[in-house]
Amino acid sequence: MSTAVRTSKHARRRPSRAEIWTHLERASFLVLSHVTPGGRPRSSGVVYTAGHGRLYVAVAPHSWKALQIPAIGQVAVTVPIRRGGLLSLLFPIPPATISFHGWAVVHPQGAPDVNSLSPALARLVPAERLADCRIVEIAPEGEFLTYGIGIPLRKLRDPEIARAHVPVRGGTG
């Protein structure tokens, strides 16, 4: 269930955590950002799956993500949520977004049991590649920052209406 939040001009609809997780579980692409041990920003578009309040990404064992994320462990994530249906074929409609920061654990090759993390992850990673990859487990923290989630297309131009902050845990929402 969503809640209404009054701004200086309008009442806006704030999506619920359940609604946000529904979008996260349906999507499959995100932008994963981290800082290298040398302090340089890095981001990558990756395919993911969600389950148990976490996001999971399979990466090559010697990729920057596998080698650099463990040094700091903190990541930022943005998930674009496609909007517009058939209209998006005719007009450039930007996606809605769900962004957050969180902590990431890069599991060693061959561990943990992928089915115990998320059955969808087992479908994401082909069996022949499973032994040769590392799983990045991302736990959101703080707040989800959404833009355009549950907002009609015509209201996306107003950031006060289109933007919402929703606690990852506890509180209302």
Side-chain angles (χ1 to χ4, degrees):
M1 173 182 261
S2 64
T3 58
V5 177
R6 177 129 329 261
T7 65
S8 58
K9 294 188 223 174
H10 313 278
R12 72 172 182 239
R13 182 186 169 283
R14 184 173 80 177
S16 68
R17 273 190 304 282
E19 184 178 0
I20 291 169
W21 276 105
T22 297
H23 283 291
L24 290 174
E25 289 168 357
R26 288 182 183 160
S28 61
F29 177 82
L30 62 81
V31 177
L32 177 63
S33 301
H34 67 280
V35 176
T36 69
R40 300 193 48 113
R42 185 87 58 211
S43 64
S44 304
V46 295
V47 175
Y48 80 97
T49 190
H52 308 296
R54 304 275 194 271
L55 304 182
Y56 301 96
V57 177
V59 299
H62 300 293
S63 68
W64 283 348
K65 292 176 285 298
L67 299 175
Q68 294 175 347
I69 289 175
I72 296 174
Q74 198 166 26
V75 296
V77 173
T78 297
V79 180
I81 305 296
R82 188 170 173 206
R83 300 184 52 108
L86 292 175
L87 277 178
S88 65
L89 297 174
L90 302 171
F91 303 104
I93 297 173
T97 58
I98 300 170
S99 298
F100 61 89
H101 67 273
W103 293 96
V105 173
V106 181
H107 294 281
Q109 281 179 257
D113 174 32
V114 176
N115 285 309
S116 69
L117 290 178
S118 169
L121 183 58
R123 293 187 300 273
L124 178 69
V125 182
E128 64 275 7
R129 189 173 157 235
L130 196 54
D132 296 328
C133 72
R134 296 181 71 184
I135 304 300
V136 179
E137 180 177 355
I138 303 166
E141 72 171 16
E143 293 182 317
F144 292 112
L145 172 60
T146 67
Y147 196 91
I149 299 295
I151 303 299
L153 286 175
R154 69 185 181 282
K155 293 191 176 185
L156 282 180
R157 291 184 180 176
D158 186 341
E160 278 195 63
I161 294 173
R163 184 176 44 224
H165 294 263
V166 178
V168 168
R169 291 175 187 53
T172 59

Coordinates of all heavy atoms in Angstrom, one line a residue, residues 105-171:
V105 N 28.8 -8.3 -0.8 CA 29.7 -9.4 -0.4 C 30.0 -10.1 -1.7 O 29.0 -10.5 -2.5 CB 29.0 -10.3 0.6 CG1 29.9 -11.5 0.8 CG2 28.8 -9.6 1.9
V106 N 31.2 -10.3 -2.0 CA 31.6 -11.1 -3.2 C 32.0 -12.5 -2.7 O 33.0 -12.7 -2.1 CB 32.8 -10.4 -4.0 CG1 33.1 -11.3 -5.2 CG2 32.4 -9.0 -4.4
H107 N 31.1 -13.5 -3.0 CA 31.3 -14.8 -2.6 C 32.4 -15.5 -3.4 O 32.6 -15.2 -4.6 CB 30.0 -15.6 -2.7 CG 29.0 -15.1 -1.8 ND1 28.9 -15.5 -0.4 CD2 27.9 -14.4 -2.0 CE1 27.9 -14.9 0.1 NE2 27.2 -14.2 -0.8
P108 N 33.2 -16.4 -2.8 CA 34.3 -17.1 -3.5 C 33.7 -18.0 -4.6 O 32.5 -18.3 -4.5 CB 34.9 -18.0 -2.4 CG 34.5 -17.5 -1.1 CD 33.2 -16.7 -1.4
Q109 N 34.5 -18.3 -5.6 CA 34.0 -19.2 -6.6 C 33.5 -20.5 -6.0 O 34.1 -21.0 -5.1 CB 35.2 -19.6 -7.6 CG 35.5 -18.5 -8.6 CD 36.6 -18.9 -9.5 OE1 37.7 -18.4 -9.3 NE2 36.4 -19.7 -10.4
G110 N 32.4 -21.0 -6.6 CA 31.8 -22.2 -6.1 C 31.0 -22.1 -4.8 O 30.4 -23.1 -4.4
A111 N 31.0 -21.0 -4.2 CA 30.2 -20.9 -3.0 C 29.4 -19.6 -3.0 O 29.8 -18.6 -3.7 CB 31.2 -20.8 -1.8
P112 N 28.3 -19.5 -2.4 CA 27.6 -20.5 -1.7 C 26.7 -21.2 -2.7 O 26.7 -21.0 -3.9 CB 26.7 -19.6 -0.8 CG 26.5 -18.3 -1.6 CD 27.7 -18.1 -2.4
D113 N 25.8 -22.1 -2.2 CA 24.9 -22.8 -3.0 C 23.9 -21.8 -3.6 O 23.2 -21.1 -2.9 CB 24.1 -23.8 -2.2 CG 23.0 -24.5 -2.9 OD1 23.2 -24.7 -4.2 OD2 22.0 -24.9 -2.3
V114 N 23.9 -21.7 -4.9 CA 23.2 -20.7 -5.6 C 21.7 -20.8 -5.4 O 20.9 -19.9 -5.2 CB 23.5 -20.7 -7.1 CG1 22.6 -19.8 -7.9 CG2 24.9 -20.4 -7.4
N115 N 21.2 -22.1 -5.3 CA 19.7 -22.3 -5.1 C 19.3 -21.8 -3.7 O 18.2 -21.4 -3.5 CB 19.4 -23.8 -5.2 CG 19.4 -24.2 -6.7 OD1 18.7 -23.5 -7.5 ND2 20.1 -25.2 -7.0
S116 N 20.2 -21.8 -2.7 CA 19.8 -21.3 -1.4 C 19.7 -19.8 -1.3 O 19.0 -19.3 -0.6 CB 20.8 -21.8 -0.3 OG 22.1 -21.2 -0.5
L117 N 20.5 -19.1 -2.2 CA 20.4 -17.7 -2.3 C 19.2 -17.2 -3.0 O 18.4 -16.4 -2.5 CB 21.6 -17.1 -3.0 CG 23.0 -17.2 -2.3 CD1 24.1 -16.6 -3.2 CD2 23.0 -16.4 -1.0
S118 N 19.0 -17.7 -4.1 CA 17.8 -17.3 -4.9 C 17.6 -18.3 -6.1 O 18.5 -18.5 -6.9 CB 18.0 -15.9 -5.5 OG 17.0 -15.6 -6.5
P119 N 16.5 -19.0 -6.1 CA 16.2 -19.9 -7.2 C 16.3 -19.2 -8.6 O 16.8 -19.8 -9.6 CB 14.8 -20.4 -7.0 CG 14.5 -20.2 -5.6 CD 15.4 -19.0 -5.2
A120 N 16.0 -17.9 -8.7 CA 16.1 -17.2 -9.9 C 17.6 -17.1 -10.4 O 17.9 -17.0 -11.5 CB 15.5 -15.8 -9.8
L121 N 18.5 -17.0 -9.4 CA 19.9 -16.9 -9.7 C 20.4 -18.2 -10.4 O 21.2 -18.1 -11.3 CB 20.7 -16.6 -8.5 CG 22.2 -16.4 -8.6 CD1 22.5 -15.3 -9.6 CD2 22.9 -16.2 -7.3
A122 N 19.9 -19.3 -10.0 CA 20.3 -20.6 -10.6 C 19.8 -20.6 -12.1 O 20.5 -21.1 -13.0 CB 19.7 -21.8 -9.9
R123 N 18.7 -19.9 -12.4 CA 18.3 -19.8 -13.8 C 19.1 -18.8 -14.6 O 19.2 -18.9 -15.8 CB 16.8 -19.5 -13.9 CG 15.9 -20.6 -13.4 CD 14.4 -20.3 -13.6 NE 14.0 -19.1 -12.9 CZ 13.5 -19.0 -11.7 NH1 13.5 -20.1 -11.0 NH2 13.1 -17.9 -11.2
L124 N 19.6 -17.7 -13.9 CA 20.4 -16.7 -14.5 C 21.7 -17.1 -15.0 O 22.2 -16.7 -16.0 CB 20.5 -15.5 -13.5 CG 21.3 -14.3 -14.0 CD1 20.6 -13.6 -15.1 CD2 21.6 -13.4 -12.8
V125 N 22.4 -18.0 -14.2 CA 23.7 -18.4 -14.5 C 23.7 -19.8 -15.1 O 23.3 -20.7 -14.4 CB 24.6 -18.4 -13.2 CG1 26.0 -18.8 -13.6 CG2 24.6 -17.0 -12.6
P126 N 24.1 -20.0 -16.3 CA 24.1 -21.3 -16.9 C 25.0 -22.3 -16.1 O 26.0 -21.9 -15.5 CB 24.8 -21.1 -18.3 CG 24.7 -19.7 -18.6 CD 24.6 -19.0 -17.3
A127 N 24.6 -23.5 -16.0 CA 25.2 -24.5 -15.1 C 26.7 -24.6 -15.4 O 27.6 -24.7 -14.5 CB 24.6 -25.9 -15.2
E128 N 27.1 -24.6 -16.7 CA 28.5 -24.7 -17.1 C 29.3 -23.5 -16.7 O 30.6 -23.6 -16.6 CB 28.6 -25.0 -18.6 CG 28.2 -23.9 -19.5 CD 26.7 -23.9 -19.8 OE1 25.9 -24.7 -19.3 OE2 26.3 -23.0 -20.6
R129 N 28.7 -22.4 -16.4 CA 29.4 -21.2 -16.0 C 29.5 -21.0 -14.5 O 30.3 -20.2 -14.0 CB 28.8 -20.0 -16.7 CG 29.6 -18.7 -16.5 CD 29.1 -17.5 -17.3 NE 29.6 -16.3 -16.6 CZ 28.9 -15.4 -16.1 NH1 27.6 -15.4 -16.3 NH2 29.4 -14.3 -15.5
L130 N 28.6 -21.7 -13.8 CA 28.4 -21.5 -12.4 C 29.7 -21.7 -11.6 O 30.1 -20.9 -10.7 CB 27.4 -22.4 -11.9 CG 26.8 -22.1 -10.5 CD1 26.3 -20.7 -10.4 CD2 25.7 -23.1 -10.2
A131 N 30.5 -22.7 -11.9 CA 31.8 -23.0 -11.2 C 32.8 -21.9 -11.5 O 33.8 -21.8 -10.7 CB 32.3 -24.4 -11.5
D132 N 32.7 -21.2 -12.6 CA 33.7 -20.2 -13.0 C 33.3 -18.8 -12.7 O 33.8 -17.9 -13.4 CB 34.0 -20.4 -14.5 CG 34.6 -21.7 -14.8 OD1 35.4 -22.3 -13.9 OD2 34.4 -22.3 -15.9
C133 N 32.3 -18.6 -11.8 CA 31.9 -17.2 -11.6 C 31.9 -16.9 -10.1 O 32.0 -17.9 -9.3 CB 30.6 -16.9 -12.2 SG 29.2 -17.6 -11.4
R134 N 31.8 -15.7 -9.7 CA 31.6 -15.3 -8.3 C 30.3 -14.6 -8.2 O 29.9 -13.8 -9.1 CB 32.8 -14.4 -7.9 CG 34.1 -15.2 -7.9 CD 35.3 -14.4 -7.5 NE 35.2 -14.1 -6.0 CZ 36.1 -13.4 -5.4 NH1 37.0 -12.8 -6.0 NH2 35.9 -13.2 -4.1
I135 N 29.6 -14.7 -7.1 CA 28.3 -14.1 -6.9 C 28.5 -12.9 -6.0 O 29.1 -13.0 -4.9 CB 27.3 -15.1 -6.2 CG1 27.2 -16.4 -7.1 CG2 26.0 -14.4 -6.0 CD1 26.7 -16.2 -8.5
V136 N 28.0 -11.7 -6.5 CA 28.0 -10.5 -5.7 C 26.6 -10.4 -5.1 O 25.6 -10.4 -5.8 CB 28.3 -9.3 -6.5 CG1 28.2 -8.0 -5.7 CG2 29.6 -9.4 -7.3
E137 N 26.5 -10.4 -3.8 CA 25.3 -10.3 -3.0 C 25.2 -8.9 -2.5 O 26.0 -8.4 -1.7 CB 25.2 -11.3 -1.9 CG 24.0 -11.3 -1.1 CD 24.0 -12.4 0.0 OE1 24.9 -13.2 0.1 OE2 23.1 -12.4 0.8
I138 N 24.1 -8.2 -2.9 CA 24.0 -6.8 -2.5 C 22.8 -6.6 -1.6 O 21.7 -7.0 -1.9 CB 23.7 -5.9 -3.8 CG1 24.9 -6.1 -4.8 CG2 23.5 -4.4 -3.4 CD1 24.6 -5.6 -6.2
A139 N 23.0 -6.0 -0.4 CA 22.0 -5.7 0.6 C 21.7 -4.2 0.6 O 22.6 -3.5 1.0 CB 22.5 -6.2 1.9
P140 N 20.5 -3.8 0.2 CA 20.2 -2.4 0.3 C 20.2 -1.9 1.8 O 19.9 -2.6 2.7 CB 18.8 -2.3 -0.3 CG 18.6 -3.5 -1.1 CD 19.5 -4.6 -0.4
E141 N 20.5 -0.6 2.0 CA 20.4 0.0 3.3 C 20.0 1.4 3.2 O 20.0 2.0 2.1 CB 21.8 -0.1 4.0 CG 22.8 0.8 3.5 CD 24.0 0.9 4.5 OE1 24.2 0.0 5.3 OE2 24.8 1.8 4.3
G142 N 19.5 2.0 4.3 CA 19.1 3.4 4.3 C 17.7 3.5 3.6 O 16.7 3.0 4.1
E143 N 17.7 4.3 2.5 CA 16.4 4.5 1.8 C 16.6 4.2 0.3 O 17.6 4.3 -0.3 CB 16.1 6.0 1.8 CG 15.8 6.5 3.2 CD 15.4 8.0 3.2 OE1 16.1 8.8 2.5 OE2 14.4 8.4 3.8
F144 N 15.4 3.8 -0.3 CA 15.3 3.7 -1.7 C 14.9 5.1 -2.2 O 14.1 5.8 -1.6 CB 14.2 2.8 -2.1 CG 14.4 1.3 -1.8 CD1 13.6 0.7 -0.9 CD2 15.4 0.6 -2.5 CE1 13.8 -0.7 -0.6 CE2 15.6 -0.8 -2.2 CZ 14.8 -1.4 -1.3
L145 N 15.6 5.6 -3.2 CA 15.2 6.8 -3.9 C 14.6 6.4 -5.2 O 15.2 5.8 -6.0 CB 16.4 7.7 -4.1 CG 16.2 9.0 -5.0 CD1 15.1 9.9 -4.3 CD2 17.4 9.8 -5.2
T146 N 13.3 6.8 -5.3 CA 12.6 6.4 -6.6 C 12.3 7.6 -7.4 O 12.1 8.7 -6.8 CB 11.3 5.6 -6.3 OG1 10.4 6.5 -5.6 CG2 11.5 4.4 -5.4
Y147 N 12.2 7.4 -8.7 CA 11.7 8.5 -9.5 C 10.7 7.9 -10.5 O 11.1 7.0 -11.3 CB 12.9 9.2 -10.3 CG 12.5 10.5 -10.9 CD1 12.6 11.7 -10.1 CD2 11.9 10.6 -12.1 CE1 12.2 12.9 -10.6 CE2 11.5 11.8 -12.6 CZ 11.7 13.0 -11.9 OH 11.2 14.2 -12.3
G148 N 9.5 8.3 -10.5 CA 8.5 7.9 -11.4 C 7.8 6.6 -11.1 O 7.0 6.1 -11.9
I149 N 8.1 6.0 -9.9 CA 7.5 4.7 -9.6 C 6.0 5.0 -9.1 O 5.8 5.8 -8.2 CB 8.2 4.0 -8.5 CG1 9.7 3.6 -8.9 CG2 7.5 2.7 -8.0 CD1 9.7 2.6 -10.1
G150 N 5.1 4.5 -9.8 CA 3.7 4.7 -9.5 C 3.1 6.0 -9.8 O 2.1 6.4 -9.4
I151 N 3.8 6.8 -10.7 CA 3.4 8.1 -11.0 C 3.0 8.1 -12.5 O 3.7 7.6 -13.4 CB 4.6 9.1 -10.9 CG1 5.2 9.1 -9.5 CG2 4.3 10.5 -11.3 CD1 4.2 9.5 -8.4
P152 N 1.9 8.8 -12.8 CA 1.5 8.8 -14.2 C 2.5 9.6 -15.1 O 3.2 10.5 -14.6 CB 0.2 9.7 -14.2 CG -0.3 9.6 -12.8 CD 0.9 9.4 -11.9
L153 N 2.7 9.2 -16.3 CA 3.7 9.8 -17.2 C 3.6 11.3 -17.3 O 4.6 12.0 -17.3 CB 3.5 9.2 -18.6 CG 4.0 7.8 -18.9 CD1 3.7 7.4 -20.3 CD2 5.5 7.7 -18.6
R154 N 2.4 11.8 -17.3 CA 2.2 13.3 -17.4 C 2.7 14.0 -16.2 O 3.0 15.2 -16.2 CB 0.7 13.6 -17.6 CG -0.2 13.4 -16.5 CD -1.6 13.6 -16.8 NE -2.5 13.4 -15.7 CZ -2.8 12.2 -15.2 NH1 -2.5 11.1 -15.8 NH2 -3.6 12.1 -14.1
K155 N 3.0 13.4 -15.0 CA 3.5 14.0 -13.8 C 5.0 13.9 -13.6 O 5.5 14.4 -12.7 CB 2.7 13.5 -12.6 CG 1.3 13.9 -12.6 CD 0.6 13.7 -11.3 CE -0.8 14.2 -11.4 NZ -1.5 14.1 -10.1
L156 N 5.6 13.2 -14.6 CA 7.1 13.0 -14.4 C 7.9 14.2 -14.5 O 9.0 14.3 -14.0 CB 7.6 12.0 -15.5 CG 7.3 10.5 -15.2 CD1 7.9 9.7 -16.3 CD2 7.9 10.1 -13.9
R157 N 7.3 15.3 -15.1 CA 8.1 16.5 -15.3 C 8.2 17.3 -14.0 O 9.0 18.2 -13.9 CB 7.4 17.4 -16.3 CG 7.5 16.9 -17.7 CD 6.8 17.8 -18.6 NE 7.0 17.3 -20.0 CZ 6.4 17.9 -21.0 NH1 5.7 19.0 -20.9 NH2 6.6 17.4 -22.2
D158 N 7.5 16.9 -12.9 CA 7.5 17.6 -11.7 C 8.3 16.7 -10.7 O 7.8 15.8 -10.1 CB 6.1 17.9 -11.1 CG 6.1 18.7 -9.9 OD1 7.1 18.8 -9.2 OD2 5.0 19.3 -9.6
P159 N 9.6 17.1 -10.4 CA 10.4 16.3 -9.5 C 9.8 16.1 -8.1 O 10.0 15.1 -7.5 CB 11.7 17.0 -9.4 CG 11.7 17.8 -10.7 CD 10.3 18.2 -11.0
E160 N 9.1 17.1 -7.6 CA 8.5 17.0 -6.3 C 7.4 15.9 -6.2 O 7.2 15.3 -5.2 CB 7.9 18.3 -5.8 CG 8.9 19.3 -5.3 CD 8.2 20.4 -4.5 OE1 7.5 20.1 -3.5 OE2 8.3 21.5 -5.0
I161 N 6.8 15.6 -7.3 CA 5.8 14.6 -7.4 C 6.4 13.3 -7.7 O 6.0 12.2 -7.2 CB 4.6 15.0 -8.4 CG1 3.9 16.2 -7.8 CG2 3.7 13.8 -8.6 CD1 2.8 16.7 -8.8
A162 N 7.3 13.3 -8.7 CA 7.9 12.0 -9.2 C 8.9 11.3 -8.3 O 9.1 10.2 -8.4 CB 8.5 12.3 -10.6
R163 N 9.5 12.1 -7.4 CA 10.6 11.6 -6.5 C 10.0 11.2 -5.2 O 9.1 11.8 -4.6 CB 11.6 12.7 -6.3 CG 12.8 12.3 -5.6 CD 13.9 13.4 -5.5 NE 13.2 14.7 -5.2 CZ 13.6 15.8 -5.9 NH1 14.5 15.8 -6.8 NH2 13.0 16.9 -5.6
A164 N 10.6 10.1 -4.6 CA 10.1 9.6 -3.3 C 11.3 8.9 -2.6 O 12.2 8.3 -3.2 CB 9.0 8.6 -3.4
H165 N 11.3 9.1 -1.3 CA 12.3 8.4 -0.4 C 11.5 7.4 0.4 O 10.6 7.7 1.1 CB 13.0 9.3 0.5 CG 13.9 10.3 -0.2 ND1 15.2 10.2 -0.3 CD2 13.6 11.5 -0.8 CE1 15.7 11.2 -1.0 NE2 14.8 12.0 -1.3
V166 N 11.9 6.1 0.3 CA 11.2 5.1 1.1 C 12.2 4.3 1.9 O 13.2 3.8 1.3 CB 10.5 4.1 0.1 CG1 9.8 3.0 0.8 CG2 9.5 4.9 -0.8
P167 N 12.1 4.1 3.2 CA 13.0 3.4 4.0 C 13.2 1.9 3.5 O 12.2 1.3 3.2 CB 12.4 3.4 5.4 CG 11.4 4.5 5.4 CD 11.0 4.7 4.0
V168 N 14.4 1.4 3.5 CA 14.6 0.0 3.1 C 14.0 -0.9 4.1 O 13.4 -1.9 3.8 CB 16.1 -0.2 2.9 CG1 16.4 -1.7 2.8 CG2 16.7 0.5 1.8
R169 N 14.1 -0.6 5.4 CA 13.5 -1.4 6.5 C 12.7 -0.5 7.5 O 13.0 0.7 7.6 CB 14.6 -2.1 7.2 CG 15.3 -3.2 6.5 CD 16.5 -3.7 7.2 NE 17.3 -4.6 6.5 CZ 17.9 -4.4 5.3 NH1 17.7 -3.3 4.7 NH2 18.6 -5.4 4.8
G170 N 11.8 -1.1 8.2 CA 11.1 -0.4 9.3 C 10.3 0.8 8.8 O 10.2 1.1 7.6
G171 N 9.9 1.6 9.7 CA 9.1 2.8 9.4 C 7.9 2.6 8.6 O 7.4 1.5 8.6

